[in-house]
Amino acid sequence: MSSYKLDARNLLCPLPVIKTQDKTAELKRGDTLEVICTDPGALNDIPAWCRINGHEVLDTRETENEVIITLLVS
Amino acid sequence: MNSPRKAVALISGGLDSLLAARLILEQGIHVEGINFYTGFCVEGHTHAIRKKDKKKPKRNNALWSAEQLGIKLHIVDIIEEYKDIVTNPKHGYGANLNPCLDCKIFMVSKARQWMEDNGFDFIITGEVIGQRPMSQRKDLLPVVVRESGADDRLLRPLCAKNLAPTLPEREGWVDRDKLLGFHGRNRKPQMALAKQFGFEDYASPAGGCCFLTDVSYAKKLADLWQAQHEKKYELDDIMLLKVGRHIRPKPNYKLIVSREEGENKFLSGYRKNFIHIETTSCGGPLTLIDGDVTEEDIETASRIVARFSQGKNEDSVTVKITHINGDEKTVNVLPMPSSEIKQEWYV
């Protein structure tokens, strides 16, 4: 089980979701992926994508300019 | 026991594709969704840009649809391949720069490829005969079938009873009697069916889901092509067409002037790629200059920017001009009177 980061800054939805989808396809069950975005829409879209594809959202954080979502590949 | 037949549903995020997929799920078919991202989708980014839209729920309607249906959704980036559809549509444009028929053929064709690669049996769309003037005319639906290569593996559950039976119907994978015969532009049958299925709060964009159907957006894209002397674009070009006032005082350059804080923030991400102007003596919009400009052009641009600043009625506004190489210059300019900003400059 490994931890990975994905830089999806300066991309507008749904591109952060597509990047997350493509990166997750390369990972193994139990890996974690931290996705860093600047589009606040990602705060809804990536958890929604996780729910319908069976991945678990471990954490969501919001700073002034970024939203950071950590998911567990399931 | 045979495993269930599998269908891939084109999910746009609108009501029709949601209902079409639900009808097929009801028949025990395994359905997964596919959604294509062209770069022109109204879905998504606009809500991230303008601050005034912040109160609207930020959701991707295709993902929302998939969640309502309880199906997987595959979002496919087709930005690069789609350029040829937009710049060179075999079947031409609709009222604006919308190549709806070519677009539908392309998307069904991509879905067919996905179906074959993933061992699925047929494709579902939410098309309804006569609902859209270009891509859903009765005489054009067979064109989509033929040119996409989907042939009789393309099922349109909402209007199937008005069409010849497809392979899934003939083989008994789906029960044709449980499919529908919707037609025309009346939305009431869809709304009634949504109610029956318990779908609420579904998306119903008035102008469809594509910026290319928008008259104002299409004018900006046409202007871009005219200025470049070529029909081509990059993703950043088409993103920037969604933001700010676009003002072209001369053929060699245009200004992209932000209209509010959200756009200011969005355009600031592009500052390193453009000469840009900010007001420093008062509040004002961040402005990008797109094109090759002379010193005289920059002075004109600065005066226009000053016009849109809080100092528009002052005798002098201080602006900072930053070049792509990082060189900065601060100058005082007289805001351009609104009467001098010609109406035809607005793209």
Side-chain angles (χ1 to χ4, degrees), chain A residues 10-15 17-18 21-22 38-42 44-49 51-53 64-65, chain B residues 37 43-45 47-49 54 58-60 63 66-67 71-77 79 235 239 265-266:
Chain A
N10 299 318
L11 297 176
L12 294 175
C13 279
L15 286 172
V17 182
I18 296 174
Q21 171 187 266
D22 295 349
T38 44
D39 178 354
N44 269 9
D45 292 352
I46 291 178
W49 178 83
R51 285 194 299 275
I52 63 177
N53 288 286
E64 191 183 350
N65 294 315
Chain B
Y37 179 61
E43 191 60 61
H45 23 79
H47 65 55
I49 299 172
K54 284 277 191 280
K58 295 178 185 62
R59 77 175 191 204
N60 176 300
L63 286 167
E67 200 167 6
I71 64 172
K72 284 188 176 181
L73 181 73
H74 309 275
I75 307 179
V76 183
D77 171 353
I79 294 166
L235 181 61
M239 291 297 201
K265 194 174 166 186
F266 180 77

